[in-house]
Amino acid sequence: MTLSKSLAFTLSALSMAFAGASHAADYPTRAISLVVPFAAGGPTDVVARTLGVEMGKILGQPVVIENKLGAGGTVAANHVATSKPDGYTYFIHHNGMATATALYPNLKYDPLQSFEYIGEVVDVPMTVLASKNFPPNTMQEFIDYAKKNGDKINLANAGPGAVSQLCGSLLQQALGVKFTTIPYQGTAPAMSALLGNQVDVLCDQTTQTIPHIAAKSVKFYGVTTQNRIQKLPDAPTLDEQGLKGFEVKVWHGIYAPKGTPPEALAKFNEALKTALKSPAFTERMAALGAEIVSEERQTPESLHKWVKSEIEKWTPILKAEGMSVS
């Protein structure tokens, strides 16, 4: 290589490096899409919208919520997995990220390989509720009633693959009964059906249920965590009330398309960590019974390790129960 060509090559490389650095410094220059795999007004949507407002302030560009419903979150996940990896598309999802591999035999993406990982956000307890017209008033009465009435009881969920379906399935397993299951397109319409006395029972997240519990517009049987929660300190757990070992907790993580520039991922992760400390977000989550994860869990490495462990945990359980969505 001649001296002039060598110099030109060096200058070109330096120019590209400076351009890359400039791009990283300028990012983001337009609105960012945060895809939610469930209906507007549902628990994941509430977390996403509250988080999006705070992250938008930090990033200097709006974080726009995009609801893409269908197939327990797999429609949205596949959309993000095949989106342009330019740092302007992200995805928030709950436990369904880990259960999809067992529930959907023809999954078009790999949860562990098709995404870049950002970090975890919040853990949310679940609650077991019934309509006002449902005869049992306590969890013990419900247990007795369920064992006698079985498929006469209508159990709502937010659709195949939703955490409410998982919780409902584990509840039936713990009780040794089979209810008549009625799926809806999201937790908001499932809750509307419960409030309208169109269904009997729903297992749903506190981000959705606490306002209705406070208003006494539903019957409230207990929480699904191993320990009582701060927002509902007087509410007993299902474990306390006879369903030993029963535990379902909803976790949320954020992802991006594979190949998204590292600079964009790093900046988005830093914005996430800052937003999780903001008073507006922390106060809103506390009011809804959600617990912000520790700083150690707000990293890509921690989220990836967690999803892998959850896949390993739930796959044999779901397959043993014959839970599958063709």
Side-chain angles (χ1 to χ4, degrees):
M1 182 181 291
T2 65
L3 180 62
S4 59
K5 287 184 177 180
S6 177
L7 180 61
F9 179 82
T10 301
L11 290 174
S12 176
L14 286 172
S15 176
M16 290 176 65
F18 282 125
S22 175
H23 174 76
D26 292 342
Y27 172 85
T29 58
R30 54 185 172 86
I32 292 172
S33 175
L34 180 57
V35 178
V36 175
F38 305 110
T44 303
D45 183 75
V46 170
V47 172
R49 289 180 188 277
T50 309
L51 184 64
V53 169
E54 297 308 305
M55 291 188 70
K57 295 175 185 176
I58 297 160
L59 291 166
Q61 293 289 343
V63 175
V64 180
I65 304 304
E66 184 180 355
N67 298 90
K68 279 197 169 294
L69 285 62
T74 61
V75 169
N78 189 61
H79 165 77
V80 174
T82 55
S83 291
K84 185 178 180 180
D86 58 2
Y88 290 91
T89 301
Y90 294 87
F91 177 47
I92 184 169
H93 200 5
H94 59 32
N95 309 46
M97 192 69 165
T99 58
T101 54
L103 292 171
Y104 295 87
N106 298 315
L107 205 62
K108 296 179 180 179
Y109 59 89
D110 183 335
L112 295 174
Q113 301 296 329
S114 302
F115 302 90
E116 303 291 351
Y117 281 58
I118 307 300
E120 290 185 71
V121 183
V122 294
D123 289 332
V124 185
M126 300 194 80
T127 51
V128 176
L129 310 176
S131 69
K132 293 286 286 184
N133 288 352
F134 193 54
N137 292 310
T138 66
M139 186 64 196
Q140 191 55 58
E141 289 181 9
F142 172 57
I143 292 172
D144 295 339
Y145 187 87
K147 290 181 177 179
K148 294 175 183 176
N149 292 277
D151 60 6
K152 296 178 183 176
I153 297 170
N154 293 327
L155 172 69
N157 66 49
V163 180
S164 54
Q165 184 206 29
L166 176 62
C167 182
S169 296
L170 293 180
L171 180 62
Q172 292 173 82
Q173 180 184 346
L175 293 170
V177 300
K178 286 290 184 182
F179 299 143
T180 297
T181 301
I182 302 178
Y184 288 86
Q185 286 293 317
T187 50
M191 176 60 75
S192 294
L194 189 76
L195 294 171
N197 299 309
Q198 297 164 3
V199 294
D200 302 315
V201 181
L202 173 66
C203 184
D204 204 356
Q205 301 173 53
T206 55
T207 42
Q208 173 92 341
T209 64
I210 279 181
H212 302 293
I213 293 170
K216 299 187 184 304
S217 55
V218 294
K219 290 185 177 180
F220 173 41
Y221 294 146
V223 296
T224 66
T225 47
Q226 281 287 296
N227 301 308
R228 296 192 182 196
I229 63 174
Q230 185 175 359
K231 187 62 181 176
L232 299 167
D234 297 326
T237 67
L238 269 60
D239 178 85
E240 287 179 62
Q241 300 181 86
L243 299 185
K244 294 300 180 184
F246 192 97
E247 181 178 28
V248 181
K249 182 170 61 175
V250 185
W251 50 268
H252 299 75
I254 296 182
Y255 313 83
K258 193 73 173 179
T260 298
E263 299 84 359
L265 296 173
K267 197 160 188 179
F268 201 79
N269 178 262
E270 285 304 312
L272 170 65
K273 291 177 177 177
T274 303
L276 294 182
K277 296 185 182 75
S278 69
F281 186 77
T282 56
E283 290 169 12
R284 176 64 171 153
M285 292 302 103
L288 295 172
E291 180 180 338
I292 297 169
V293 302
S294 65
E295 290 187 14
E296 292 77 15
R297 291 173 61 190
Q298 297 168 18
T299 66
E301 298 78 15
S302 177
L303 177 57
H304 192 275
K305 182 178 179 180
W306 179 251
V307 172
K308 185 174 184 295
S309 70
E310 285 287 280
I311 290 173
E312 293 170 350
K313 171 185 175 180
W314 287 108
T315 297
I317 294 174
L318 296 174
K319 287 187 175 179
E321 285 295 302
M323 291 177 63
S324 179
V325 182
S326 59

